[in-house]
Amino acid sequence: MSISKEELKKQVTQEIENNKDKLINFSKDIAENAETGYRESKTAAKVKEIFKSINLGFTDGHAITGVKSEPIKGKSEGPTIAVIGELDGLIVKDHPLADPKTNAVHACGHNCQLGSMLGVGLGLINSKANQYLNGNVVLFAVPAEETIENEYRINLIDEGKLGFMSGKQELIRIGSFDDIDSAMLSHATTNPEDKDLSIGGTSLGHVVKYVEFHGRASHAAGAPYAGVNALKAANIAMMAMDLQRESFKDEDRIRVHGILTEGGTATNSIPSIVKLEWRIRGRTIDIVNEVNEKIDRSLRAGAMAMGANVRIRSIAGNLPMLQNSEINDLYVNNANNIVGSENVKIHPDTQSGGSTDMGDLSQIMPIIHPRSGGAIGVGHGNDYFIDDYYKSVINPAKSMAMTVIDLLWPEENRLKQIISNNVPPYSKKQYIALQESRMGNEFSEYMKS
Ligand SMILES: [Zn+2]
Ligand SMILES: [Zn+2]
């Protein structure tokens, strides 16, 4: 039986439409059970449950909580595309939907990604469209995209449970992407400029810092001179980091930001342990490395001035994102068909202020990272909500499923060609070597015994 590519796309999108309530309810259920990176056990269980309900096999425990479906196989051999959904939420303490115990909340809309990922799978399976394709599709629910809770993750690294900090970085390292040739993920956005569906743009690279200042406790009023104040050391370091800003070039898109996670334990005692979690972002990894040296000097300066000690942990962060322009073009064409070209935004390849571990993946294989409307408020803010689940879940599911068909359509074998015409910047081995070279752990001692 022969069928046209357009007819097949129609059947797949119809199946997604038929399952819209199921997909939206699944996305809402995920939002009601938000968990942060590498703690997404309830969320992973929900993904596994729904895979079981559609008889889709899977393996679990990828980078602690990741769930990877078996391939939805095509009629013949060909490349394998991962359609990705991120499992993790954020911590936004004053968000009305935040978990009362953990403050976890889906204030970045990752719950919708799991819905649209499932939508692509259901569309292909129910319509049996996969049976016409040269190549396979894997649904991959992945952990820990948000780079938060640095101390928790460093402990996981020190315990040998993780090698890298972000979910996709770790999945690359442990080989969970070895049988994947290309990947896509659609992210919800609150930016009205993004319209209903958008594509293009890139993201910043970064390095993650976890810093401990070690001082000496003493009575804060009775004998302050007997102590070494770790909080004051951190204060000087924070001031020094800020003072570096005049050396940053605008075009390098440098961002330096962070939080004090522990500032002392009792007001009447000179703080002896003070902890910072910081981030340095920039247009390229070389720029990030350069700024990182200035930040390390600033941190040491704080410790040196107060005669304290400082532990500086540097953890390889995300790499800048490259989206494959040919897959972007296919996606735009499909998005135009679904929502009308007046509701599709194409971004130039300028960098947003954010970062993502899709950037890491993009350095070793062709990827796209489109965005969908339907969210309101400020991303990562306390007023972030999904206002229109149809826009955030169903539209991207349809346009991704149609793009999968374009990529694996037998007469064209587009993905095969894209892979043979584009050498990614890094091999997996080179990627791991680069990231390992960006891990640091130094202890500078200025405290007299
Ligand atoms: Zn986010
Ligand atoms: Zn996000």
Side-chain angles (χ1 to χ4, degrees):
M1 196 185 77
S2 76
I3 186 171
S4 75
K5 188 170 75 171
E6 294 316 311
E7 181 55 33
L8 194 66
K9 284 184 181 178
K10 215 182 264 176
Q11 290 181 9
V12 172
T13 51
Q14 188 57 52
E15 277 303 330
I16 294 170
E17 184 68 28
N18 295 346
N19 282 284
K20 66 174 193 284
D21 292 341
K22 180 178 182 159
L23 298 169
I24 289 172
N25 289 337
F26 176 65
S27 307
K28 286 181 176 169
D29 186 31
I30 300 288
E32 281 162 19
N33 293 278
E35 297 164 301
T36 56
Y38 301 120
R39 304 184 199 263
E40 311 102 324
S41 53
K42 280 186 291 177
T43 312
K46 286 177 189 298
V47 172
K48 288 186 259 185
E49 200 181 302
I50 206 140
F51 281 177
K52 275 185 199 156
S53 77
I54 59 169
N55 290 320
L56 182 61
F58 58 83
T59 49
D60 62 0
H62 293 267
I64 303 179
T65 50
V67 184
K68 183 182 179 186
S69 84
E70 64 185 3
I72 302 169
K73 283 198 168 157
K75 75 169 161 92
S76 333
E77 282 303 299
T80 298
I81 303 171
V83 177
I84 295 177
E86 292 161 348
L87 292 158
D88 61 327
L90 278 162
I91 299 172
V92 184
K93 219 170 182 172
D94 53 353
H95 195 294
L97 302 180
D99 183 296
K101 278 198 196 118
T102 64
N103 295 309
V105 61
H106 274 285
C108 201
H110 295 184
N111 57 312
C112 297
Q113 297 176 17
L114 294 170
S116 55
M117 171 198 79
L118 179 67
V120 174
L122 271 181
L124 292 170
I125 292 167
N126 289 4
S127 67
K128 300 190 169 61
N130 54 307
Q131 297 176 10
Y132 295 92
L133 304 176
N134 279 4
N136 315 306
V137 175
V138 161
L139 309 185
F140 204 168
V142 305
E145 188 272 342
E146 303 286 358
T147 310
I148 57 172
E149 299 186 297
N150 300 359
E151 188 176 1
Y152 167 63
R153 294 194 194 178
I154 283 175
N155 286 336
L156 292 175
I157 290 173
D158 290 347
E159 288 163 16
K161 291 177 182 156
L162 280 182
F164 290 153
M165 190 155 196
S166 287
K168 295 179 202 70
Q169 297 179 326
E170 177 66 359
L171 292 168
I172 294 170
R173 192 187 72 87
I174 63 176
S176 297
F177 277 106
D178 284 358
D179 55 354
I180 306 289
D181 302 293
S182 176
M184 59 178 72
L185 166 163
S186 175
H187 197 297
T189 166
T190 64
N191 182 359
E193 245 192 55
D194 280 307
K195 302 184 179 171
D196 284 353
L197 291 168
S198 71
I199 193 80
T202 170
S203 64
L204 303 178
H206 65 54
V207 64
V208 179
K209 309 295 282 187
Y210 171 73
V211 185
E212 285 180 6
F213 288 95
H214 297 195
R216 187 182 299 123
S218 67
H219 196 294
Y225 40 80
V228 174
N229 196 317
L231 183 59
K232 293 194 191 298
N235 256 314
I236 293 167
M238 285 191 278
M239 174 76 84
M241 288 194 282
D242 264 339
L243 293 175
Q244 303 289 350
R245 290 182 198 277
E246 74 172 6
S247 72
F248 301 163
K249 293 183 197 141
D250 291 351
E251 63 268 29
D252 287 345
R253 310 227 21 143
I254 298 162
R255 294 276 192 280
V256 178
H257 56 96
I259 56 173
L260 183 73
T261 54
E262 192 174 320
T265 43
T267 29
N268 58 4
S269 192
I270 295 290
S272 59
I273 293 279
V274 167
K275 298 175 182 175
L276 306 182
E277 297 194 0
W278 229 255
R279 199 93 57 86
I280 303 153
R281 312 197 202 214
R283 191 168 55 79
T284 67
I285 290 305
D286 286 344
I287 291 163
V288 170
N289 290 345
E290 205 179 289
V291 179
N292 190 32
E293 281 178 32
K294 297 177 185 179
I295 296 305
D296 283 350
R297 285 203 309 262
S298 305
L299 293 164
R300 287 183 212 116
M304 185 193 266
M306 297 310 296
N309 300 335
V310 62
R311 163 88 54 202
I312 307 174
R313 299 287 297 262
S314 301
I315 305 103
N318 301 154
L319 300 188
M321 183 168 62
L322 310 163
Q323 299 198 57
N324 182 276
S325 60
E326 287 171 75
I327 310 180
N328 273 352
D329 290 347
L330 296 172
Y331 184 90
V332 167
N333 197 28
N334 293 319
N336 288 345
N337 278 326
I338 290 164
V339 296
S341 58
E342 68 281 12
N343 297 312
V344 175
K345 169 77 181 176
I346 302 168
H347 287 284
D349 270 346
T350 47
Q351 279 159 315
S352 77
S355 308
T356 171
D357 55 5
M358 274 305 269
D360 297 66
L361 203 55
S362 78
Q363 299 283 344
I364 65 163
M365 66 175 69
I367 66 107
I368 59 166
H369 188 277
R371 293 175 187 273
S372 65
I376 52 167
V378 176
H380 293 200
N382 65 1
D383 60 349
Y384 179 99
F385 295 97
I386 302 298
D387 181 45
D388 186 337
Y389 271 91
Y390 191 93
K391 285 186 178 176
S392 301
V393 176
I394 307 303
N395 285 342
K398 287 180 180 176
S399 36
M400 285 196 290
M402 290 165 82
T403 306
V404 163
I405 293 172
D406 282 324
L407 290 168
L408 303 181
W409 186 247
E411 272 93 88
E412 298 166 351
N413 288 313
R414 292 292 288 264
L415 183 55
K416 220 172 169 182
Q417 282 175 27
I418 289 169
I419 291 165
S420 61
N421 295 341
N422 295 274
V423 180
Y426 296 95
S427 66
K428 173 188 163 186
K429 210 173 146 194
Q430 289 167 331
Y431 166 79
I432 291 172
L434 168 73
Q435 293 296 56
E436 280 174 349
S437 77
R438 301 207 295 136
M439 300 291 224
N441 184 359
E442 68 161 63
F443 190 64
S444 300
E445 295 181 74
Y446 305 101
M447 189 158 43
K448 291 208 178 105
S449 52

